[in-house]
């Protein structure tokens, strides 16, 4: 598993979290699982690294944590986007998409036959 | 969600961010492990794998904790601030939507809080603030106690005994209250208050001069170098606030003295003194026998000695003297805390003031509470919607309380303005009514009191409506439409508030009604003289008139000139003025009786006094100009004295002597007449035995006299002519011209003050109660418009509708009246001592006040209720 997975580029974790929470409020474990599953297990987040990132996003006022009950009746800390967080999510998703697009184009471009 | 976890909805789990982080990470590990178990791992391996996937657990945990702690610290503050801002904005918007409501609330609060701030400022300044001397608790005043238990001023030899023998007092000073004296040497001749005090007065009071010094030891003996100390006010006004006192010389009465010191601004003892003259300069031995009680005393308790111990010791000394010396009638000594004595009778008046203002505030609070209840009902729909949109109840309550608090603070600010005006009015109107009143101001204590009061008020009137407004189930509230709710529970709350208001207003009204009736009774008393159409001119002779003949001559001339003025019907001079001045007393004996047998007040007057005052001569004759120095000494007595000391016998023609009042007191004088009693000490004090002496025969005490002039026209029109008549005899004479009526009026000041304050508060309470009842009935009518319309449509007449609407409120009013009457019956006992010829349970007052309230309440019900009877059925049915 480790051989095929990709190490996360620095700074991308935040945008992944924001995008994930854009769907609904989730607890940390659910976030890590969502990212793992949606990337086809390709993106390997070192699972613990998620938590300091969550705390920092909360400190910046982009997300808000609140203890609540899971579907199985267990207490977990759920995070949700704040208004600021939603704005930041849209901007970052746009930026990253354009960045990845541009990267992809450059990486796949071939010199024109002249 | 039927049941929520203990932590659910909280931002932090457990007590600290560290715990919160720990729980969050644990949850992750557990879930991860379970996922792996589901994937077929065995337990131990799954746990190992979860840990590996997580990374460095300890580092991550500490990183999270650091961030979380930092966040918790800052967010707590900012969240609170932003929520407060939100609440305030919400409150302001809400009040702006209902400006009439807001204005009514603020005015009500301003009245309630303003009255209390003013009352507190006065009570604090007068009763609570310490006297401005070092360790004021140790200062005591001493009075001789007679066998009948009465307090007497102190005779010099008794003072000297106490001073020399006491161990319980560390110092003991004697003084004579400030008397108006002509003082030369300042900017112009002035009448200043000169007090004579033993030189140790300043040591006993433990006060240092602000400038210069007090009396030096060598100035504390008879015949020493004459010096005086002046008050801060006198120094500023008449000495130009000069800092070099070296050549400031004053002529105070007969004494020419060097000014050596200036007292600090707060020092005012004896009250009103401008100039302190050392008593010891004059030979005290000549000042008296044990029957001439001419001194007041003040002492300082020795370290650790209680007032009771000192009283026992001094009483023992006085008793020993009494057994030894035949002319001492003091069988003991009474000691009073100096502050107690300074504040004296006004304590009760001030506490009543405080109580009355508290009543007003409670009435205001009930009004506010009932208004808020009504408002909560109007807003129940909005609140319900917000609750259903997920607003926490606590948050809603906080918002409503913020609104109350905002109102209370605005009201308190307005109230402080009102208090400022009230205090100004009171200090202008009442300095004669209440001592130390000039020391009253809006200081830090008053501000603190007002703020606390505002907060307490907001909580009192805001809590119940806030709780009620937020308990409504959203469904109920929305179903009820815009008109809000009028549930039975709310109506009960309103009824209770109305009853409480009525009861409180009733108690205040009964209190002031009783005082008013007493005041009326007092005005019905015949004081024994006629105050109208008279001028009272205080005259102080300059010190150059140092022998009796010169003084008599001055007044003879004065009377001759004044009587010759057109518009003057009669004129006389007197040493003391009834209802105004101190009424000195001393021992006397009747020829053939026991020495020092009687005790009576003595008054020195000129011929024409009784004619000017229109005091009735009962038998015999009054003084004439033939009763001169050298002619046989004559004396007049009043009716009470005739009855008390001459029972059965005819006093006229008998002879008596007057003991220690002056050096001629040991010569017998013949009683030539009996005059009617005059109310002297106060209008409601029963007349005491008194005798009158002729000023021409008793010239030692007549440097300061009051000229009485009965006029045919307006008294003050004669003032200029009288002034120039006095100046023509001697330009250095100081004087003060007023009508007798205004001076005597001051003796009613304390009563009028209490009456005014209580009456004012009672009126405010009555108005508030009426407004409250009106508000309750109007909103009741508004809520029942539909019902009323239907009844009207079904043919109910106006009276029937009125009854429907008003019944409940009038029942509450009746309950309030009953409760108020019962409470008043208990409370009026507290003012029994302020009443005159009026029972605390005076049925007339009780009935009249109850009727007044009932009528007011009925009016407050009638106005909105009549509106209801005019509602047209169609409008009513369309309403909602």
């Amino acid at each position: 598993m480790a051989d095929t997975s990709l190490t996360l580029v620095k700074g991308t974790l935040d945008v992944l979290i924001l995008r994930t929470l854009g769907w609904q409020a989730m607890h940390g474990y659910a976030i890590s699982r969502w990212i793992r599953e949606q990337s086809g297990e390709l993106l390997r987040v070192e699972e613990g690294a998620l938590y300091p990132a969550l705390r920092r996003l909360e400190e910046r006022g982009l997300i808000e944590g609140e203890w609540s009950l899971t579907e199985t009746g267990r207490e977990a800390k759920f995070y949700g986007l704040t208004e600021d967080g939603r704005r930041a999510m849209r901007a970052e998703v746009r930026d990253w998409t354009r960045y990845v697009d541009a990267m992809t184009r450059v990486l796949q471009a071939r010199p024109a036959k002249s | 969600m039927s049941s929520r976890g203990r932590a659910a909805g909280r931002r932090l789990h457990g007590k600290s961010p560290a715990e919160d982080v720990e729980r969050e990470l644990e949850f992750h590990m557990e879930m991860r492990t379970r996922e792996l178990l589901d994937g077929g791992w065995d337990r131990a391996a799954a746990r190992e794998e979860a840990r590996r996937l997580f990374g460095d657990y300890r580092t991550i945990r500490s990183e999270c904790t650091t961030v979380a702690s930092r966040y918790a610290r800052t967010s707590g503050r900012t969240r609170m601030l932003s929520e407060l801002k939100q609440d305030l904005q919400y409150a302001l918007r809400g009040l702006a939507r209902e400006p009439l409501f807001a204005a009514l609330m603020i005015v009500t609060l301003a009245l309630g809080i303003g009255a209390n701030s003013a009352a507190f400022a006065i009570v604090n300044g007068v009763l609570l603030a310490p006297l401005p001397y070092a360790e004021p608790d140790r200062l005591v005043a001493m009075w001789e106690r007679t066998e009948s238990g009465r307090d007497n001023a102190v005779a010099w030899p008794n003072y000297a005994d106490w001073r020399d023998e006491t161990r319980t007092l560390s110092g003991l000073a004697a003084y004579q209250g400030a008397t108006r004296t002509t003082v030369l040497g300042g900017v112009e001749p002035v009448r200043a208050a000169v007090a004579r005090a033993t030189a140790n007065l300043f040591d006993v009071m433990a006060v240092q001069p602000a400038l210069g010094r007090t009396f030096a030891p060598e100035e504390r003996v008879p015949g020493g170098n004459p010096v005086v100390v002046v008050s801060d006010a006198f120094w500023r006004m008449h000495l130009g606030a000069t800092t070099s006192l070296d050549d400031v010389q004053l002529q105070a009465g007969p004494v020419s003295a060097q000014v050596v010191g200036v007292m600090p601004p707060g020092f005012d003892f004896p009250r009103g003194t401008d100039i302190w003259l050392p008593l010891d300069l004059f030979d005290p031995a000549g000042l008296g026998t044990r029957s001439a009680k001419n001194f007041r005393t003040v002492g300082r308790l020795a370290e650790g000695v209680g007032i009771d111990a000192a009283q026992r010791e001094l009483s023992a000394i006085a008793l020993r003297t009494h057994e030894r010396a035949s002319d001492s009638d003091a069988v003991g000594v009474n000691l009073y805390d100096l502050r107690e004595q300074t504040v004296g009778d006004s304590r009760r008046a001030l506490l009543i003031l405080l109580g009355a203002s508290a009543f007003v505030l409670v009435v205001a609070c009930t009004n506010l509470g009932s208004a808020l209840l009504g408002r909560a009902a109007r807003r129940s729909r909005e609140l319900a919607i917000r609750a259903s949109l997920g607003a926490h109840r606590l948050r809603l309550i906080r918002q409503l309380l913020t609104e109350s608090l905002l109102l209370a603070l605005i009201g308190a600010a307005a109230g402080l303005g009102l208090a400022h005006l009230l205090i100004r009015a009171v200090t202008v109107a009442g300095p004669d009514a209440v001592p130390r009143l000039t020391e009253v101001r809006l200081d830090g204590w008053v501000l603190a009191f007002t703020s606390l009061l505002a907060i307490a008020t907001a909580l009192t009137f805001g809590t119940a409506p806030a709780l009620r407004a937020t308990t409504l189930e959203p469904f109920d509230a929305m179903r009820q439409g815009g008109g809000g709710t009028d549930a039975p529970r709310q109506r009960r709350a309103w009824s209770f508030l109305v009853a409480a208001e009525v009861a409180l207003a009733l108690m205040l009204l009964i209190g002031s009604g009783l005082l008013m009736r007493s005041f009326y009774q007092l005005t019905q008393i015949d004081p024994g003289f006629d105050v109208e159409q008279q001028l009272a001119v205080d005259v102080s002779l300059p010190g150059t008139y140092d022998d009796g003949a010169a003084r008599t001559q001055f007044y003879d001339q004065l009377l001759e000139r004044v009587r010759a003025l057109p518009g003057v019907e009669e004129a006389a001079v007197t040493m003391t003025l009834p209802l105004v001045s101190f009424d000195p007393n001393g021992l006397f004996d009747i020829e053939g009786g026991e020495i020092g047998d009687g005790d009576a007040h003595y008054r020195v007057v000129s011929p024409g006094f009784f004619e000017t005052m229109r005091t009735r001569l009962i038998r015999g004759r009054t003084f004439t100009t033939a009763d001169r120095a050298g002619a046989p000494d004559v004396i007049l007595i009043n009716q009470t004295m005739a009855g008390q000391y001459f029972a059965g016998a005819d006093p006229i023609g008998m002879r008596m002597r007057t003991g220690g009042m002056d050096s001629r007191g040991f010569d017998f004088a013949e009683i030539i007449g009996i005059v009617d009693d005059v109310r002297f000490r106060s209008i409601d004090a029963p007349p005491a035995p008194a005798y009158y002496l002729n000023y021409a025969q008793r010239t030692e005490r007549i440097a300061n006299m009051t000229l009485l002039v009965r006029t045919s026209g307006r008294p003050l029109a004669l003032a200029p002519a009288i002034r120039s008549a006095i100046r023509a005899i001697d330009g250095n004479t100081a004087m003060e011209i007023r009508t007798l009526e205004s001076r005597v009026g001051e003796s009613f000041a304390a009563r009028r003050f209490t009456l005014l304050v209580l009456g004012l508060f009672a009126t405010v309470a009555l108005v508030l109660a009426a407004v409250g009842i009106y508000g309750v009935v109007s909103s009741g009518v508004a809520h029942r418009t539909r019902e009323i319309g239907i009844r009207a449509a079904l043919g109910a007449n106006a009276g029937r509708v009125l009854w429907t609407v008003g019944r409940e409120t009038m029942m509450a009013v009746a309950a309030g009246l009953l409760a108020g009457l019962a409470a008043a019956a208990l409370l009026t006992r507290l003012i029994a001592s302020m009443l005159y010829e009026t029972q605390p349970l005076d049925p007339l007052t009780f009935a009249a006040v109850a009727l007044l309230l009932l009528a007011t309440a009925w009016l407050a019900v009638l106005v909105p209720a009549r509106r209801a009877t005019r509602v047209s059925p169609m409008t009513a049915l369309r309403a909602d």
Side-chain angles (χ1 to χ4, degrees), chain B residues 666-710:
Chain B
F666 299 101
D667 301 331
F668 280 104
E670 186 188 337
I671 299 169
I672 54 167
I674 304 169
V675 290
D676 201 3
D677 290 328
V678 165
R679 300 277 170 144
F680 211 106
R681 192 160 63 82
S682 75
I683 190 78
D684 53 334
Y691 55 84
Y692 293 87
L693 301 162
N694 187 344
Y695 83 124
Q697 295 179 334
R698 306 303 275 265
T699 57
E700 284 171 33
R701 294 279 187 93
I702 61 173
N704 296 301
M705 297 288 269
T706 300
L707 168 71
L708 292 167
V709 185
R710 177 165 292 281

Side-chain angles (χ1 to χ4, degrees), chain B residues 445-466:
Chain B
W445 288 107
V446 179
L447 286 181
F449 174 81
T450 307
S451 317
L452 272 179
L453 199 63
I455 293 168
T457 307
L459 291 179
T460 311
F461 74 74
T463 305

Side-chain angles (χ1 to χ4, degrees), chain B residues 339-416:
Chain B
R339 190 219 313 255
E340 207 74 20
Q341 175 166 310
T342 312
V343 172
D345 299 336
S346 52
R347 167 181 296 269
R348 185 177 289 264
L350 290 175
L351 291 180
I352 285 174
L353 167 76
L354 203 62
S357 64
F359 271 41
V360 170
L361 185 64
V362 176
V363 173
C365 274
T366 35
N367 252 7
L368 298 169
S370 115
L372 274 182
L373 271 179
R375 183 151 191 265
R378 288 198 295 284
R379 288 202 311 198
S380 56
R381 188 180 184 145
E382 169 206 339
L383 288 173
I385 292 170
R386 293 188 48 200
S388 69
L389 290 180
H392 272 289
R393 181 174 177 213
L394 217 61
R395 190 71 210 290
L396 287 181
I397 291 177
R398 217 170 67 196
Q399 262 175 8
L400 293 176
L401 280 182
T402 306
E403 188 182 86
S404 302
L405 199 62
L406 183 72
L407 277 171
L409 288 177
I410 297 174
L416 274 179

Side-chain angles (χ1 to χ4, degrees), chain B residues 116-132:
Chain B
N116 278 273
S117 296
F120 176 79
I122 291 169
V123 169
N124 185 45
V126 177
L127 289 188
L128 304 178
L131 297 172

Side-chain angles (χ1 to χ4, degrees), chain B residues 153-185:
Chain B
V154 180
W156 180 265
N158 286 343
Y159 159 72
D161 287 352
W162 302 351
R163 180 194 59 198
D164 298 340
E165 293 177 36
T166 182
R167 294 279 169 275
T168 55
L169 298 176
S170 66
L172 185 56
Y175 63 93
Q176 288 179 310
T179 53
R180 295 267 155 196
T181 308
T182 301
V183 174
L184 307 174

